[in-house]
Amino acid sequence: MKKLLVAAAVSTTLLAPLAAHAQKVGLAMAELDTFLTLLKNGTLDAAKKSGATVQVEDAQADVGKQLSQIQNFIAQKVDAIIVNPVDTDVTPKITKMVTDAKIPLVYVNRKPVDFAKLPAGVAFVASDETVSGTLQTQQVCKLLKGKGDVLVLMGDLSNEAARTRTQDIEDVVKTKECSGLKIADKREGKWSRTNGQDLTTNWLSSGVKFDAIIANNDEMALGAINALKASKKWTPASIVAGIDATPDALASMKAGDLKVTVFQNAAGQGAGAVESALKLIKKQPVDRFVNVPFELVTPENLSKYSGKN
């Protein structure tokens, strides 16, 4: 009888390494606004398909909270960490913390300030922000036939995306084709629909003259549209542009309101982050920058994008 028990124990021990180890990934989100919720869901869907488990933490736009959440992931010895940083200027600290713990690290959606110095075992998955604001502003320039005054609603300037998208707008205005455009004013709306509405209301009440509003994201663009409507300044010809092609933005475009957005593939970024993390866990090569391309969305090609984000 004892011999049988020993044999059973040995066979179980031999079989144990053959059981697949489900990879555990820590996902540190800056916050869960409309777009970032889509990104989180895309990450979870991709992980489920690959058999990995994901623990999600929401920093609620608090840098200190996010650093603490990442430290907890390290203490738990997760297999990889995906970070959507609250403040991209803090990424050198995050990179050091995670790489010192020898855990693969993937930044997603927001470009780390230390991107050029990222060591092996660290990747960045996103869409190239030099394209987003460029596509958006070129389309606004086309709608205005190359001349007019524009107002700019900027995202949270602690984020590289907000700074780059705003620079894109300024760069397009400097081109020969769009040199007739003038930036009348620009304000930081921190990605928020409420802020976009309040800032636009302030512009309207102060009598600023403008021909279009270019927002760094859809939420602020929708806020601007709300303000124009509430102030009875909205006409079917009003030009407001956003970025992300969120469901609300696409619905607004379908209704004839939002004139321009740029599709940023939230699910694609989430899936790319998971794929990169799993490759890094297996010590497989991953490009430092994994690009998920931006695409211009207008009323003419809108049907192609319905239900994508």
Side-chain angles (χ1 to χ4, degrees), residues 290-309:
V290 179
N291 185 24
V292 182
F294 277 112
E295 300 166 45
L296 179 68
V297 184
T298 64
E300 290 72 34
N301 69 354
L302 172 63
S303 59
K304 181 182 166 190
Y305 294 93
S306 296
K308 269 202 175 185
N309 251 347

Side-chain angles (χ1 to χ4, degrees), residues 212-228:
I213 296 176
I214 303 176
N216 282 171
N217 77 336
D218 289 334
E219 283 295 292
M220 293 187 295
L222 296 173
I225 290 170
N226 289 345
L228 288 164

Side-chain angles (χ1 to χ4, degrees), residues 112-128:
V113 73
D114 53 335
F115 171 72
K117 300 174 186 170
L118 291 180
V122 184
F124 169 50
V125 179
S127 304
D128 182 357

Side-chain angles (χ1 to χ4, degrees), residues 40 59 95 121 144 160 173 234 238 245 290:
K40 177 204 76 172
T95 303
L144 291 175
E160 182 271 343
V173 168
W234 178 261
S238 296
V290 179

Side-chain angles (χ1 to χ4, degrees), residues 155-175:
D156 185 335
L157 292 174
S158 70
N159 293 163
E160 182 271 343
R163 299 193 293 265
T164 305
R165 290 176 186 185
T166 302
Q167 187 62 51
D168 294 344
I169 297 167
E170 292 168 355
D171 289 346
V172 170
V173 168
K174 287 177 194 160
T175 62

Side-chain angles (χ1 to χ4, degrees), residues 229 234-238 250-259 299:
K229 288 184 171 181
W234 178 261
T235 74
S238 296
L250 296 176
S252 175
M253 186 175 281
K254 192 173 182 182
D257 296 342
L258 188 70
K259 299 298 188 296

